[in-house]
Every structure is written in structure tokens, then in C-alpha cells.
Amino acid sequence: MLNIGKPSAKDHAEVAKYVKARLFDEERKKRIFNPTTRTIGIDKDALDRQVQEKKILRDQEQAKQQAYSNKLLQDCATSLKLDEQNKKKQKEIDLEILEYRKKYQAPETRREFDIYDPLQCRKGQPNRIGDDDPRITLSSVQRFEGEEGTTKEQKAEQIKQQRVWLEMQIREKNKTREENKNVERTWQETEHTTVQRAMALATLENECRRKLIEANYRYNQALASEQKMNKSIMEAESNEDKMVEVYNAITGDFLTENPELGFNSALGPGKISTSLYKGLTPAMKQAIYDEQASQRAELKILKEAYDKQEKDWADLLNILARCGTLSDREMQKKKRNLEDGINNFNLVLANEQKNQEEYLNNVLYKTKASNEFFDQFNKTSR
């Protein structure tokens, strides 16, 4: 018995294949009929994925930079905190050291403190407390005559003595002030004298320098005159030598141009002395002139033959040119006839094409296609 109602695995595969092809065709239609994708010609989904990947990478890089900055700030804060703790600990250690020194190393506990004790004078006793001081003995020589008491007469005498001393000091100060004024005055006078002497010395030095410059100038002038005289003497001697040399050159064999000297060579007869050669003899010149005349005659004969040959070639070229002109005219005439035929043929074809277009537009394709005709296209991707 056949089981027609139950689909087989092959049917499922066919249906899946058909559905997959339909979905692929729908996706393809979206890509093909999308104006943006069709106009630009790019894969927008791939570009969007690339943009998203770049954005993710940029966010990751920013997160990494932010984490690095946070870690750097945290390290800086930790470093500052540790530095502050170290400073605080060092301060506590310094305070402990100061407390220890103040408590166990006081200056009063040192053996040599009595040498530089600032209160030594206050702590000690004076050498003499009074006339009844038991420390004063006869050998101490601390009591003198006139110190036995402090009567009114003694005080008055002491006041008078002090007044006398004050007056003496005032007189000494005035005297010292006057002496200082005299010294200052003497110093100013000495300084003024020194300045005057320095100015006189400077004037004398300038005068000596001026005279020295004038002496140098006169010496230089004399030296320049001497050098100029020596130069003129040397130039005169040089000019004289040159004139002698010119005279010798003019009267010598080199400028006299004696042609016989060049043929009197020490190498033998027929040889020419190059250093004394002054040109050819008249016989030699005549022989050269004769040879040149014969060469000119030969050249004239050759030139006449060459001119005749050139004339023959020119006549031949003229004949060929006339033949070419005739053939060119014949070809131009044939070309014009051919162009006229082509133009006539083109006119006939243009008329036939115009009649064909009028037939197609006015007779065969008289009615226009509707929108339903164009809507039947682009329905599938195939």
C-alpha cells in the first residue's frame, strides 16, 4: 500500500532547497534593486561591519588609554602618599634625636662646658665684695690710700676730677677734629696738585706724541721720495734696455726677412733652417703660381662638365614633374566623380531611411505602450 500523504526525506530536501533558493533570490533582488548599492557599486554591509569593527577597536584603545591614565594617577598618588609618610617618619626621627640630645647630651653635662659657659660671669663672684671681704689680704694689694670711705668731700673731689677729665676729652676731641680738617684740606690740596701735574704730564705726552708723529711723517715722506726716485731710475734703465733690444731686433736677421738665410742650413744642401726661414724665393713663388694656374684650368673644365650634368638632370626632373602633374589631375578628376557618386548614393539611402522612419512611426507603431507593459519587467532577479 502506498503512503502518499506522508512526505519523504527527499521531499523535505527539495522543499528546503526551494525555500533556500527563494530566500537567496529575495536577498539578491534587494541588492540588485537597491538604488544606493547599484549606483555606488559597493558592499554596504561589509563597510558597516568595518566601521563597527573600527569603532570597537577605537573604544578598546580609549579604554586602554583610560586604564593606563588611571593606573598612572593611582601610582602618582601612592608615590606622593609614600613620600609624605617618609617625610613624616623622618621628622619624627629628627624630633626623637633632638629630644635625646636635649635630655642625655645637654651642654651642661660636658666636661669643657665651664670654658664656654655664657653665664660664667653671672655665676662667678667678683674679686672684691667690699672693704671687709675676708678674701682680701695684705699681699693681694686691693686696698689703696683714699679708698677707706665715701665722704662728701671725696665725692665732690671725684666729681671735680671727672669734670676736668671731661673738659680734657672735649679739648682733645676738638683738637683731633681740627687736625682731621687740616689733614683733609692738605689731602685736597695734594690731590689738586697731583691732578694739575697729571694734566701737565698728559699735555707734555701729547706734545711729544705729536712731534713723534710729525717726525715719522717727514721720514715717510723722505722714504717715499727716495723710493720714487729709485723707481724712476729703474724705469729709465728698463726703457733703455728695451730700446737696445728693439734696435737689435730691428737690425737683426729675424726682422730683415732675408730669404737666403733659411736655405743656408748647417745640415746640408737642400735643407731649410726653420729658425731663419723668411719665405720663398721669387723663382719658387713663380713655380707655385704656374701650378695654381694649371689647377684653376682643370677646375674650370670639371665645373663645366658638372654644370652640364646638373642641367641634364634638371631637364629630366621637369619632364617627370609635368608627367606627375598630369597624372595627379587625372586622379583628382576620378576622385571627384567617385565622391559625387557616393553623395548621390547617400542621398538615396537618406530618403529611404526617412521613408522607413515615417512608416514605423506613423503606420506600424502608431499606438504607444502603456505602463502595464513596462511594469511586467524587473519582477525577478533572473
Side-chain angles (χ1 to χ4, degrees), residues 313-337:
W313 275 108
D315 295 338
L316 179 60
L317 290 175
N318 290 328
I319 293 171
L320 293 175
R322 285 195 295 271
C323 295
T325 302
L326 294 175
S327 61
D328 189 16
R329 289 177 181 177
E330 186 68 24
M331 290 178 64
Q332 290 292 335
K333 185 177 181 181
K334 291 181 180 180
K335 183 178 179 182
R336 284 195 298 272
N337 294 331

Side-chain angles (χ1 to χ4, degrees), residues 365-378:
Y365 300 120
K366 187 175 182 180
T367 60
K368 296 184 179 179
S370 62
N371 294 329
E372 289 78 5
F373 175 78
F374 296 102
D375 290 338
Q376 66 180 341
F377 300 102
N378 293 334

